[in-house]
Amino acid sequence: MLKVFIISDATGDTAERVVRAGLVQFPDAPVTVVRRRNVRTPEQIRAVVREAAAQDAFLVHTLVSDELRGIILHESRQAGVDALDMLGPVLERLARHLRIAPQEKPGLFQQLIEARSREIEAVAFAFRHDDGQNSHELDHADVVLVGISRTMKTPTMLYLAYRGWFAANVPIVPGIDPPQTLLAVAPSRVFWLQMAPERLLELRRVRARHEAIPLETYASLDQVRKELQQARELCSKRGWRSIDVTGKSVEEAGREIITLLPSAIATI
């Protein structure tokens, strides 16, 4: 029975996938793969090499630190362990061609995978929670945008989602109370998007023409001012912070919100 020890300064997933891809070519071979994760000190390396030597194991490692790769090479030779450096040659050749030194930070690849996975989940979350949908799940949102019609809620929400934030938006509609789940969200995570009446009126008139919405009930200056005042009173009462999006791009509004979010949830 051959034992293959995988040593990694992170999860060891990459090395194990490569090893198992090779083992496919030996379908009947008796092999056991053993993973040793988060190996980041000389003491840990020496301990694993001793363990591998005691079991006459083949050792494969993916360590980003040049110093630790040197230690494992020395220790393996001293102990008579066959060791394969799976990552070092790749890093050396990339450094040579790029003419820059690698960061040598463990776990960066896994962090990249996790960040990408979060972005995908965040975008799916945003689409499920656009325009007040599934409001019973607002407690799962990192940030909730509120505002009256045509105040850039959806595009700003999607900007945040594509950067890994679990974002939702809820419209403030005249005569309709906001959902209780919105009122239960921490005020530090709720942002009211407001806009100058004149600019908002322009946007509403464009929509009214395309969708045959009566101007007097949707795109009159009096109506816009009335809705803005009602929203201002609600948001002031709830302690929600306001973001004036007049003349701003979606990117500008989104970046402003991110800088104001609580650091405890600022994971991206």
Side-chain angles (χ1 to χ4, degrees):
M1 170 74 71
L2 172 65
K3 280 197 173 181
V4 179
F5 270 53
I6 292 175
I7 299 181
S8 172
D9 47 25
T11 64
D13 289 344
T14 301
E16 181 165 349
R17 280 197 294 268
V18 173
V19 169
R20 293 199 180 279
L23 288 174
V24 171
Q25 304 300 322
F26 308 89
D28 299 321
V31 179
T32 299
V33 177
V34 178
R35 248 201 271 191
R36 293 293 179 261
R37 303 176 176 87
N38 299 313
V39 177
R40 301 182 182 182
T41 67
E43 293 74 20
Q44 289 176 309
I45 287 175
R46 293 186 183 102
V48 176
V49 171
R50 287 195 299 268
E51 185 182 5
Q55 301 182 47
D56 194 24
F58 169 41
L59 193 153
V60 176
H61 62 90
T62 53
L63 302 173
V64 297
S65 166
D66 184 61
E67 177 186 359
L68 293 184
R69 290 199 304 274
I71 292 173
I72 201 169
L73 174 62
H74 173 76
E75 294 295 326
S76 297
R77 286 176 175 173
Q78 291 286 341
V81 174
D82 185 9
L84 171 64
D85 182 355
M86 190 176 287
L87 190 58
V90 177
L91 291 176
E92 290 171 5
R93 282 165 176 75
L94 286 173
R96 186 186 311 156
H97 287 284
L98 295 172
R99 298 181 181 177
I100 56 176
Q103 295 185 56
E104 297 190 4
K105 292 182 179 179
L108 288 182
F109 185 61
Q110 184 64 25
Q111 292 174 26
L112 180 64
I113 293 174
E114 291 173 357
R116 182 55 181 160
S117 176
R118 180 179 171 89
E119 289 173 9
I120 294 171
E121 293 176 10
V123 171
F125 182 90
F127 279 111
R128 291 199 312 272
H129 299 85
D130 182 30
D131 202 31
Q133 297 181 81
N134 297 304
S135 61
H136 61 284
E137 298 176 344
L138 289 177
D139 58 319
H140 298 303
D142 294 328
V143 55
V144 181
L145 308 181
V146 300
I148 63 176
S149 176
R150 298 286 97 180
T151 49
M152 294 170 48
K153 297 185 299 300
T154 294
T156 306
M157 174 194 68
L158 291 176
Y159 174 88
L160 296 170
Y162 277 107
R163 279 144 190 83
W165 298 93
F166 281 65
N169 80 76
V170 178
I172 297 176
V173 182
I176 299 179
D177 293 332
Q180 288 300 312
T181 47
L182 171 61
L183 304 182
V185 176
S188 60
R189 292 191 288 145
V190 182
F191 292 84
W192 168 44
L193 304 188
Q194 63 171 315
M195 186 179 291
E198 294 75 16
R199 175 55 181 158
L200 185 54
L201 183 62
E202 293 176 6
L203 297 176
R204 285 197 172 190
R205 283 178 173 170
V206 171
R207 182 185 182 188
R209 285 196 298 270
H210 282 85
E211 300 183 21
I213 301 174
L215 292 178
E216 63 275 9
T217 59
Y218 181 73
S220 70
L221 187 57
D222 287 344
Q223 179 65 24
V224 166
R225 285 174 172 166
K226 179 181 177 181
E227 290 185 32
L228 283 172
Q229 180 58 35
Q230 291 174 344
R232 184 176 294 106
E233 292 172 358
L234 170 65
C235 297
S236 177
K237 178 181 178 181
R238 303 304 309 183
W240 297 335
R241 285 174 289 185
S242 66
I243 301 293
D244 191 334
V245 297
T246 308
K248 291 179 182 176
S249 66
V250 169
E251 292 79 5
E252 289 173 317
R255 286 196 296 267
E256 184 174 346
I257 290 169
I258 290 172
T259 62
L260 296 174
L261 283 168
S263 58
I265 62 172
T267 57
I268 298 297

